[in-house]
Amino acid sequence: MARSRARFPGGVNSPVRAFGGVGGEPFVVARGAGSRIWDVDGNEYLDYVLSWGPLVLGHAPRVVLEAVERIMQQGTSFGIPTGLELELAEAIAARMPHLEMMRFVSSGTEAAMSVARLARAVTGRDHLLKFEGCYHGHADSFLVKAGSGVATLGLPNSPGVPSALAELTLTCAFNDLEAVERIARSVPLAAILLEPIVGNGGYIEPVPGFLEGLRRIADETGALLVFDEVMTGFRIAFGGARERFGVNPDLTALGKVIGGGLPVAVYGGRRELMERVAPTGPVYQAGTLSGNPLAMAGGLATLGALTREVHDAITARTARLVAGLTAIASRHGVPFSASHSGSMWGFFFRDTTVRNFDEAKQSDTALFKRFFHAARERGVYLAPSAFEAAFMSAAHSDADIDLTLARLDDAMGVAVQG
Ligand SMILES: *Cc1c(COP(=O)(O)O)cnc(C)c1O
């Protein structure tokens, strides 16, 4: 890490990896297998970060490795259509039929950025509405009250984002439908954009009626409703937020799981909207490595293995972990609220359910830091920030959950001592 700090800002290639949110020295990972990772010093961890979500099958799953290896023998990138792109698109649309048409890109940032451009082009409006604590990648329009990474560093926004652009991104509190209504009726919005379950401000669920309300307000005011499911997609439900909540977005961004650990994201939605993207329409967006065969193979193998039965099994283990952790916190007399949807979960050291980012920030983050380090010392790797969701994979066995709970029970005991 010392050598890395001389070479990379903070020694890392993405800020949250530097452990700014919890202090202490980050570890350097050597390898992963299934539910576990090993650092270069040989320490073993049960991993609940899973590369921040993509690894729904766990580390180095054979099906993904074999698929990528097989495809790799035939070339890694062509910049010409391949059949694999269509196969992955069809696999996605089979689970999320509202993505009638889509475009592959290489990162969630690109997907969210492109979807905003499309929404602006389609509506002829410039303003976006996002929610405090939601992260949509690091494109200029979205580095406004953007949750985890930015909040952990204590930066409300980012220098380098032109104020003329930042002013076009309005924000309000998650779950505050009245504020949305007020804003949407006073400013013509191109899009209301959100994580349907927030994962980047800690794990925060929408209250009943919130998403339905956003759909109604979008319809009444001519804004598009955009679900950024880069994190929630193929995590919170087999068919994503639409299946979980019964609310249809106009446009959707996906990433993380759809690449199974390779760099893939996609945006898509209603055909008449997506047809506005170049070359059928005038909204420009392109990418040299977009849809490259390695990434498509990783995604196809991952979605192929993630059947509804597998999803349900991961969900059941996630439920057991969350219930076990809640019981542990209660035994230790710690203020605690935890929840999950599918294989995405999270907790706050706060005694009532967190509904927005302000409430998330009122949780006991000092206790979180002690708990994080105590867990890590006992071989459980949680996200190094109080404002991040956690994940589960198909590789986490019931025995892993038991071991995790025993270690976290210990860790909680240490953390409450102060
Ligand atoms: C991770 C994430 C992004 C950004 O994706 P990258 O691949 O890191 O650029 C965007 N939106 C959400 C909701 C995310 O969780």
Side-chain angles (χ1 to χ4, degrees):
M1 279 310 296
R3 272 170 63 203
S4 288
R5 272 190 288 268
R7 191 60 68 188
F8 309 117
V12 295
N13 285 295
S14 197
V16 73
R17 299 176 194 172
F19 279 23
V22 289
E25 188 73 359
F27 57 85
V28 177
V29 73
R31 68 191 177 91
S35 58
R36 286 162 166 80
I37 51 175
W38 288 265
D39 69 20
V40 291
D41 299 318
N43 299 305
E44 179 180 312
Y45 305 91
L46 283 154
D47 183 15
Y48 292 95
V49 183
L50 294 164
S51 191
W52 302 92
L55 305 179
V56 73
L57 303 180
H59 291 275
R62 243 193 34 215
V63 282
V64 173
L65 299 189
E66 284 176 2
V68 170
E69 196 174 342
R70 194 175 60 247
I71 295 302
M72 184 170 67
Q73 303 300 331
Q74 300 162 17
T76 59
S77 182
F78 301 102
I80 303 170
T82 66
L84 290 168
E85 294 152 86
L86 183 57
E87 277 186 61
L88 182 56
E90 286 175 350
I92 291 169
R95 294 160 173 84
M96 298 186 177
H98 54 301
L99 273 78
E100 294 171 359
M101 199 176 244
M102 63 192 92
R103 167 65 60 79
F104 284 112
V105 292
S106 296
S107 72
T109 291
E110 255 186 286
M113 178 184 80
S114 307
V115 105
R117 181 180 303 140
L118 178 58
R120 283 169 159 158
V122 167
T123 59
R125 299 170 171 188
D126 288 338
H127 285 86
L128 305 171
L129 177 63
K130 73 176 282 291
F131 296 89
E132 291 156 15
C134 282
Y135 179 66
H136 304 295
H138 65 86
D140 284 349
S141 286
F142 296 124
L143 281 184
V144 179
K145 301 199 175 172
S148 58
V150 194
T152 298
L153 295 173
L155 307 171
N157 296 298
S158 175
V161 175
S163 55
L165 194 57
E167 280 160 16
L168 297 175
T169 303
L170 308 174
T171 63
C172 70
F174 197 74
N175 279 324
D176 187 349
L177 207 53
E178 274 173 37
V180 175
E181 186 115 41
R182 204 164 49 239
I183 293 167
R185 295 200 187 284
S186 57
V187 181
L189 296 173
I192 300 171
L193 194 123
L194 74 158
E195 298 176 65
I197 291 179
V198 185
N200 285 287
Y203 177 93
I204 306 172
E205 292 185 356
V207 297
F210 180 60
L211 299 181
E212 292 85 344
L214 295 181
R215 180 68 272 176
R216 174 183 56 78
I217 293 167
D219 288 341
E220 289 173 4
T221 61
L224 297 180
L225 181 62
V226 179
F227 283 177
D228 180 349
E229 290 221 67
V230 171
M231 188 179 281
T232 56
F234 303 105
R235 280 280 177 195
I236 63 169
F238 186 70
R242 176 176 170 275
E243 177 182 305
R244 170 82 159 74
F245 299 109
V247 174
N248 243 333
D250 298 296
L251 293 167
T252 299
L254 292 167
K256 297 193 169 113
V257 166
I258 66 157
L262 284 96
V264 191
V266 75
Y267 65 103
R270 294 212 318 270
R271 183 174 315 279
E272 76 270 20
L273 299 178
M274 289 305 295
E275 279 176 342
R276 303 289 291 273
V277 175
T280 39
V283 183
Y284 196 72
Q285 184 273 310
T288 301
L289 294 176
S290 294
N292 74 79
L294 290 191
M296 298 296 104
L300 264 173
T302 299
L303 291 191
L306 187 63
T307 59
R308 197 175 276 277
E309 292 65 38
V310 170
H311 172 83
D312 290 348
I314 312 175
T315 300
R317 277 186 225 113
T318 311
R320 204 158 77 73
L321 181 67
V322 167
L325 198 51
T326 304
I328 287 166
S330 154
R331 267 206 309 284
H332 287 280
V334 171
F336 192 77
S337 69
S339 190
H340 82 99
S341 182
S343 61
M344 179 172 161
W345 60 283
F347 64 89
F348 290 104
F349 288 113
R350 187 177 188 278
D351 51 16
T352 54
T353 303
V354 166
R355 287 159 305 181
N356 58 47
F357 195 46
D358 271 345
E359 291 182 358
K361 287 187 285 192
Q362 288 158 19
S363 65
D364 190 341
T365 52
L367 179 55
F368 175 84
K369 289 177 194 179
R370 296 196 299 275
F371 181 60
F372 167 84
H373 287 294
R376 186 196 148 181
E377 282 156 18
R378 285 159 184 75
V380 177
Y381 181 51
L382 302 169
S385 163
F387 307 119
E388 292 284 356
F391 303 96
M392 181 73 75
S393 84
H396 287 69
S397 65
D398 277 318
D400 285 339
I401 308 297
D402 293 336
L403 187 56
T404 301
L405 287 172
R407 290 174 176 180
L408 292 183
D409 195 355
D410 259 16
M412 196 82 84
V414 171
V416 294
Q417 307 284 307

